[in-house]
Amino acid sequence: MEKRIKVIVAKLGLDGHDRGAKVIARALKDAGMEVVYTGLRQTPEQIVKTAVQEDADVIGISILSGAHLELVPRVVEFMKKYGLNDVGLVVGGVIPPQDIERLKEMGVDEVFLPGSSLKEVVEKVKSVASRKRGIKVES
Amino acid sequence: MNRELLKKAIEGDELSVSRILTKIEYFSEEGMEYLEELSARAGRAYTIGITGSPGAGKSTLISTLIDHYTKEGLKVGVVMVDPSSPFSKGSFMGNRIRMQDKTMNKNVFIRSLASRGFLGGVSAEAIMLIEALDGLGFDKIILETVGSGQTDTDVVSVVHSILVLAIPGSGDEIQALKAGIMEIGDFYVVNKADKPEAEALYDSIKFAIESGETFWRDGWKPQVVKVSALKGMGIEELTKRLREHEEFVRGGGLFEKRIVERRHKLIELYLRRKLEAVLEETLKENKTTLSEYESKGINLNKAIREVYERFKQRI
């Protein structure tokens, strides 16, 4: 059977705004992916542990609190600690453009700013899954 | 097969467990070798199935059961099935959300699974994961079915104890008397029992059970229990009765019997999946034939027979 891309969509940290994350999760579902939605206020370690148990191909983080430079590195740290070196990490939310490079240097594969189209998100998640996990995706 | 990976999984390394489960759920050759090994070690875990309509509180109830069993020092595995889209084949799996606080507990392993075309509430993949978790030494394995409709009763052949969740305000006595899901429970759990309609629902189910013995599974009289999973109400009573049921199952020689049934069901569901593929191919192949029949005025009965013949040949 053909492997489906499995994605965790999680809200990181103290941030109660989940509409965007739900819209993204739904778009990924509509693109044929199997999405595990964790809900609000997840700690970095919780998110990584979830990805471990679910054997996710990509972790998608939504963060609108402004704490991305504090919390995303913690996610990366735990991914290393738990051995998820081959798992993709994408981050979306209210992120100042000047932070994109810093996030990517930390190990984030893709960053989505407000206004990103769902099509772009889907395509990039697919290409991350393909690059990191070798999953074949139809173009 | 990667022996090292299997060894690490058996020793409890979560990532190894998880990666093995993925190989198994995709029926890969390597996965089937792991399943073979783990199945040989399986047959010890006590399995509980939770079913009920979408929004009945299945995941929330599981969360309270996890608390209960981990406090007893047990290792708990959870397999939850959510629907796959018939259109995109994707899935939005949101069951974990009710138990995310258990993720950090080292004695709990939770896995979400998309139904991938299986109807009936349970999939072949789900049974294989139960088999694997059993072989990996989990003490209790909880299976959450897809939010069920009236005929989603496959869970009956998969687990030792079945809890059917019912929610107040979802129908009258007639619903409780109908065939299907209201026949399969070892327990009917009236969840959200703090709602005023809970009493009426409780009485309806009670009446349905009292009115005949047909659906006593292996001689167990089904019980009705009122709980509020969210508020923790009635959970102690429910787990006490679950323990009684477990004693009944173990004492009556049913423990092994149900594991055998589960394995039969796995084979059945696997065959159904294969059959489904043949069915799809046959239909695709005959699309033009069928429309030709229409335009040439040949009757439907004949068309059905011919397509059926080709279907049989394909099998």
Side-chain angles (χ1 to χ4, degrees):
Chain A
M1 206 191 339
E2 172 201 352
K3 169 80 173 85
R4 303 225 147 255
I5 298 171
K6 196 169 190 182
V7 188
I8 306 289
V9 174
K11 288 291 304 180
L12 174 62
L14 284 177
D15 169 4
H17 302 278
D18 58 356
R19 183 146 295 226
K22 285 173 179 160
V23 170
I24 294 293
R26 194 183 161 146
L28 298 176
K29 176 209 73 168
D30 291 340
M33 298 181 208
E34 294 182 343
V35 184
V36 176
Y37 186 66
T38 69
L40 291 167
R41 297 181 201 93
Q42 301 291 300
T43 67
E45 192 171 12
Q46 247 180 337
I47 293 172
V48 174
K49 277 271 277 181
T50 301
V52 167
Q53 294 187 351
E54 297 289 352
D55 196 13
D57 302 305
V58 180
I59 298 174
I61 281 172
S62 160
I63 183 161
L64 286 76
S65 67
H68 49 277
L69 291 181
E70 305 298 320
L71 294 176
V72 172
R74 302 278 292 151
V75 174
V76 174
E77 249 171 64
F78 281 114
M79 284 175 76
K80 284 189 187 133
K81 183 182 163 196
Y82 284 100
L84 301 187
N85 308 314
D86 57 348
V87 172
L89 176 63
V90 302
V91 178
V94 185
I95 291 159
Q98 62 268 27
D99 290 348
I100 295 178
E101 262 329 290
R102 292 181 64 184
L103 286 170
K104 288 199 167 172
E105 278 164 21
M106 290 170 193
V108 175
D109 295 296
E110 293 291 349
V111 179
F112 303 110
L113 304 187
S116 305
S117 73
L118 292 175
K119 191 166 172 256
E120 180 198 343
V121 174
V122 165
E123 288 313 314
K124 288 193 169 161
V125 168
K126 276 185 186 171
S127 85
V128 169
S130 149
R131 203 165 62 237
K132 287 282 182 111
R133 304 275 278 187
I135 299 173
K136 273 183 250 142
V137 285
E138 73 282 19
S139 50
Chain B
M1 179 171 55
N2 183 341
R3 288 252 160 227
E4 187 57 27
L5 189 70
L6 183 65
K7 185 168 162 273
K8 276 163 72 182
I10 290 168
E11 285 164 3
D13 175 59
E14 280 201 347
L15 187 59
S16 306
V17 170
S18 189
R19 298 254 149 122
I20 284 180
L21 295 187
T22 304
K23 303 259 189 228
I24 293 175
E25 70 173 75
Y26 279 98
F27 297 92
S28 74
E29 209 163 298
E30 192 186 344
M32 297 319 270
E33 286 171 15
Y34 292 125
L35 187 64
E36 181 81 39
E37 291 275 336
L38 292 172
S39 192
R41 307 168 65 99
R44 282 179 300 174
Y46 195 84
T47 54
I48 300 168
I50 316 274
T51 190
S53 56
K58 297 183 289 299
S59 307
T60 308
L61 181 67
I62 289 175
S63 184
T64 64
L65 292 179
I66 294 174
D67 279 338
H68 179 82
Y69 291 128
T70 50
K71 269 182 206 143
E72 290 183 352
L74 300 174
K75 275 187 82 176
V76 183
V78 182
V79 176
M80 307 178 294
V81 193
D82 252 336
S84 294
S85 162
F87 306 107
S88 72
K89 302 217 170 12
S91 179
F92 185 121
M93 300 183 276
N95 291 324
R96 270 196 97 99
I97 209 170
R98 318 288 170 197
M99 55 191 86
Q100 259 312 76
D101 57 325
K102 315 294 184 289
T103 298
M104 298 309 299
N105 188 326
K106 65 175 177 22
N107 285 326
V108 181
F109 189 96
I110 304 167
R111 180 75 165 222
S112 318
L113 197 54
S115 63
R116 296 182 188 149
F118 276 103
L119 308 170
V122 182
S123 60
E125 289 93 329
I127 302 177
M128 292 198 292
L129 295 198
I130 290 173
E131 198 70 36
L133 289 172
D134 187 350
L136 286 165
F138 284 83
D139 301 298
K140 298 273 179 190
I141 299 170
I142 304 175
L143 167 67
E144 176 176 343
T145 72
V146 171
S148 59
Q150 289 173 311
T151 56
D152 295 331
T153 53
D154 275 346
V155 67
V156 78
S157 331
V158 179
V159 291
H160 292 107
S161 299
I162 298 178
L163 276 59
V164 176
L165 263 69
I167 29 173
S170 60
D172 60 7
E173 204 163 84
I174 298 303
Q175 301 305 331
L177 288 164
K178 286 189 178 176
I181 192 145
M182 295 310 287
E183 298 172 324
I184 65 170
D186 298 307
F187 295 92
Y188 295 92
V189 181
V190 176
N191 192 22
K192 313 188 190 188
D194 49 335
K195 289 194 173 188
E197 302 94 328
E199 280 306 318
L201 178 63
Y202 178 86
D203 290 342
S204 305
I205 300 173
K206 200 93 182 149
F207 169 70
I209 291 171
E210 301 293 344
S211 59
E213 294 182 12
T214 330
F215 305 114
W216 295 22
R217 190 157 71 131
D218 298 307
W220 170 264
K221 182 182 179 184
Q223 300 186 1
V224 198
V225 189
K226 281 183 279 188
V227 307
S228 163
L230 197 60
K231 296 180 179 168
M233 198 181 99
I235 299 300
E236 212 168 302
E237 178 67 18
L238 176 66
T239 50
K240 186 179 139 254
R241 298 217 203 165
L242 258 169
R243 188 190 303 274
E244 286 164 11
H245 187 240
E246 182 171 344
E247 282 162 14
F248 171 83
V249 167
R250 288 184 188 273
L254 300 170
F255 186 81
E256 291 76 17
K257 179 178 168 240
R258 292 197 180 159
I259 291 169
V260 171
E261 283 173 358
R262 160 177 107 200
R263 290 171 177 170
H264 283 175
K265 194 72 186 177
L266 169 59
I267 294 170
E268 181 198 323
L269 290 182
Y270 179 77
L271 289 182
R272 272 204 233 160
R273 154 141 302 170
K274 293 284 173 197
L275 194 66
E276 195 81 13
V278 178
L279 184 73
E280 258 174 50
E281 282 165 27
T282 312
L283 286 176
K284 221 186 277 172
E285 181 193 271
N286 286 286
K287 243 185 196 150
T288 40
T289 324
L290 280 169
S291 62
E292 268 174 32
Y293 277 127
E294 264 172 46
S295 58
K296 286 178 190 162
I298 300 171
N299 70 32
L300 185 62
N301 189 19
K302 187 161 180 258
I304 289 173
R305 277 163 198 260
E306 277 190 27
V307 173
Y308 175 59
E309 280 310 314
R310 279 186 217 138
F311 177 62
K312 273 204 297 196
Q313 275 164 22
R314 258 190 187 273
I315 295 173

